[in-house]
Amino acid sequence: MKNLKNIFFSLLVLMSTTMMAQQTPAGKQKGSILITGATAHLGNGQTIENSAIGFDNGKLTYVGTLAQADRNSFSRVIDASGKHVYPGFIAGNTTLGLVEVDAIRATDDDAEIGGIIPHVRSLIAYNAESKVVESMRPNGVLMAQITPQGGRISGTSSVVQFDAWNWEDAAVKADDGIHMNWPNSFTRGRWWLGEDPRLVPSKNYSEQVEEVVSFIREARAYLKGSQSPRNLPYEAVKGLFDGTQRLYVHVNGEKEIVDAVNFTKENGIQKLVIIGGDEAHKVADLLANNNVSVMISRPHRLPNKEDDNVKHPFNLAKLLMDKGVVVGIEMNGRMNRQESRNLPFFAGSFAAYGIGKEDAVKMISGNAAKILGIDDIAGTLEKGKDATLFISEGDALDMRTNIVSHAFIQGREVSLETHQTKLWKRYSQKFGDK
């Protein structure tokens, strides 16, 4: 009887694990594929009507008009007449795969203890079988930057794709950059202690900035010296000085952004990306002249300051693009993992407030790839790049028409079935019977 109970318990655990796991990743692409007749949105601001998109062995081999394509050279043809083809959308600055259920501490791995911990790598904590990650694909979100949080220097992010057995398979670009939370020059008083709750200049701002400056200077000295005894935090920032990594500075205020730009220039840091950048439009010329990109926050929010235009979060993309700044979208905020599936609709909101529709597509494809340093293999539909793309029945930036029929990651056709789609089918049948 005891053995029977043990067997039953083991089967129950196995069944629950299977139900919780993501679908088995797709096998390697077998045979060449040609998508015909669709409007192709290339991710660089251009479109091709009545297009043909061909790929083999996971790489794009033809991008052009259907009239010039050789159908006979492809083993499978997908008729997408009247539909749209897009490069896979890329979510920036998200904790996808690092937390599954917020209320269950054992599934929460988005932050480590410590103030300056650049050697903490988010990639090794990434859960490729996350059910939340799985739910991105039906909206065309096929890649993301997985980012640690907390502290002054949070750690190192990585770029992953959403069809993998484990984090090693998922990695598109491992350790793409270091994330720093820049100090705030203003602070609010703690009203519960009787302090003035209004914004006042922070007395600790200079001291907090000096803490970061000292660390970077010490790291540079360490890397030029004998590197003994070994110091992992110093070693982790080596890529900032040789250009192999980016410094992602999470900052919103005008003064703080200027200080961050000057800080990188003075310390030999080659590549800077601003995350958030709520007041970046005030110093857009400085950013453009120094090739500093900005990943702006989601538009569906209130302004950070009480006297800002209530539409400012929606207008920010246009204000920066008009000055020549490369702009993407970052996903930090409440429910950032679940909200990441709405990435294309956030881009659509920016399109409704001044930027062109194809510029909005660029924000989450070509621009995102450029900002993350993967534009040589992803982000646009160009011959030689990874065949990471999807077919939508309509405009992918509109939640009413973004109905994805096919999705491919590095040439592999991936499942679009998720926990949410199963529930939708189940309850649509229930109400459809009445």
Side-chain angles (χ1 to χ4, degrees):
M1 187 68 178
K2 184 177 181 180
N3 290 336
L4 188 60
K5 288 183 178 180
N6 290 338
I7 293 172
F8 177 77
F9 180 75
S10 299
L11 288 173
L12 186 62
V13 171
L14 179 62
M15 289 174 62
S16 63
T17 302
T18 302
M19 291 174 63
M20 287 296 292
Q22 189 183 41
Q23 296 100 344
T24 301
K28 290 184 178 180
Q29 181 181 355
K30 295 181 180 179
S32 55
I33 298 174
L34 183 69
I35 301 171
T36 63
T39 298
H41 304 260
L42 304 187
N44 58 6
Q46 301 177 3
T47 61
I48 301 176
E49 299 291 341
N50 198 25
S51 68
I53 309 295
F55 50 98
D56 192 14
N57 293 320
K59 296 291 183 180
L60 292 165
T61 57
Y62 179 81
V63 178
T65 61
L66 178 57
Q68 296 178 325
D70 181 7
R71 292 185 181 219
N72 297 327
S73 64
F74 293 88
S75 57
R76 178 187 175 192
V77 176
I78 299 175
D79 183 4
S81 300
K83 299 182 180 181
H84 299 257
V85 178
Y86 295 84
F89 294 151
I90 308 168
N93 186 40
T94 177
T95 56
L96 276 166
L98 300 183
V99 181
E100 192 69 4
V101 181
D102 290 280
I104 302 177
R105 183 64 184 87
T107 73
D108 186 341
D109 205 8
D110 63 342
E112 294 290 344
I113 296 174
I116 297 181
I117 47 176
H119 54 299
V120 169
R121 303 174 66 218
S122 63
L123 181 61
I124 60 175
Y126 175 71
N127 175 20
E129 292 190 337
S130 166
K131 294 186 74 174
V132 182
V133 168
E134 178 183 272
S135 70
M136 302 297 117
R137 301 188 305 220
N139 281 355
V141 182
L142 305 181
M143 290 183 286
Q145 179 193 43
I146 309 304
T147 306
Q149 296 185 335
R152 183 64 63 206
I153 298 180
S154 308
T156 304
S157 62
S158 291
V159 183
V160 301
Q161 49 83 10
F162 294 154
D163 180 56
W165 288 98
N166 48 47
W167 64 264
E168 293 94 338
D169 295 339
V172 173
K173 185 172 184 180
D175 305 329
D176 67 291
I178 307 294
H179 288 256
M180 176 187 297
N181 295 299
W182 193 263
N184 198 325
S185 63
F186 284 85
T187 185
R188 289 187 184 275
R190 296 166 293 183
W191 60 267
W192 59 92
L193 294 180
E195 299 174 352
D196 188 344
R198 293 177 299 178
L199 277 174
V200 295
S202 173
K203 299 177 181 179
N204 301 321
Y205 179 68
S206 297
E207 179 183 337
Q208 292 169 342
V209 171
E210 183 58 33
E211 178 187 20
V212 174
V213 172
S214 296
F215 171 78
I216 292 298
R217 287 175 178 169
E218 291 168 5
R220 291 184 67 186
Y222 169 86
L223 294 168
K224 291 179 180 179
S226 62
Q227 301 183 23
S228 179
R230 189 175 185 186
N231 188 299
L232 293 180
Y234 291 160
E235 291 181 13
V237 300
K238 179 180 179 181
L240 298 182
F241 306 116
D242 61 23
T244 58
Q245 288 182 313
R246 286 157 170 73
L247 178 63
Y248 298 94
V249 176
H250 299 241
V251 60
N252 283 304
E254 176 185 4
K255 170 179 171 52
E256 291 88 339
I257 292 173
V258 172
D259 288 347
V261 172
N262 291 335
F263 160 78
T264 56
K265 292 169 65 176
E266 293 168 0
N267 288 279
I269 297 173
Q270 299 186 27
K271 298 177 181 178
L272 170 65
V273 177
I274 298 298
I275 303 289
D278 201 59
E279 296 185 358
H281 61 291
K282 297 180 179 180
V283 290
D285 290 330
L286 172 70
L287 299 176
N289 292 338
N290 287 278
N291 296 318
V292 178
S293 303
V294 181
M295 298 187 77
I296 60 178
S297 300
R298 296 158 11 193
H300 297 178
R301 58 185 175 86
L302 292 174
N304 286 346
K305 293 185 176 179
E306 295 177 356
D307 56 350
D308 283 344
N309 185 337
V310 71
K311 299 296 184 182
H312 172 67
F314 295 88
N315 295 326
L316 184 55
K318 177 174 173 54
L319 295 173
L320 292 172
M321 286 185 175
D322 285 349
K323 293 291 187 176
V325 178
V326 177
V327 182
I329 301 176
E330 61 101 5
M331 296 307 302
N332 191 36
R334 295 187 64 183
M335 297 182 68
N336 84 74
R337 292 169 296 282
Q338 292 81 1
E339 287 284 2
S340 292
R341 68 171 68 96
N342 292 324
L343 175 68
F345 313 137
F346 295 141
S349 294
F350 286 120
Y353 283 83
I355 67 174
K357 184 62 71 69
E358 297 309 315
D359 284 332
V361 172
K362 279 177 63 177
M363 291 179 70
I364 55 178
S365 55
N367 282 7
K370 184 176 182 180
I371 291 171
L372 300 178
I374 59 171
D375 51 316
D376 57 331
I377 60 171
T380 57
L381 299 178
E382 295 181 66
K383 184 177 179 180
K385 291 191 175 184
D386 286 353
T388 299
L389 53 97
F390 66 94
I391 303 172
S392 174
E393 293 186 10
D395 181 357
L397 305 190
D398 187 336
M399 65 175 63
R400 297 168 299 179
T401 57
N402 182 354
I403 304 173
V404 177
S405 59
H406 300 76
F408 301 87
I409 294 179
Q410 296 171 339
R412 305 182 302 275
E413 186 166 7
V414 299
S415 170
L416 297 173
E417 196 71 33
T418 72
H419 182 63
Q420 284 80 6
T421 60
K422 290 177 181 177
L423 290 176
W424 172 74
K425 290 177 182 177
R426 177 185 177 187
Y427 288 102
S428 64
Q429 291 176 356
K430 172 184 177 181
F431 293 111
D433 293 336
K434 294 184 177 180

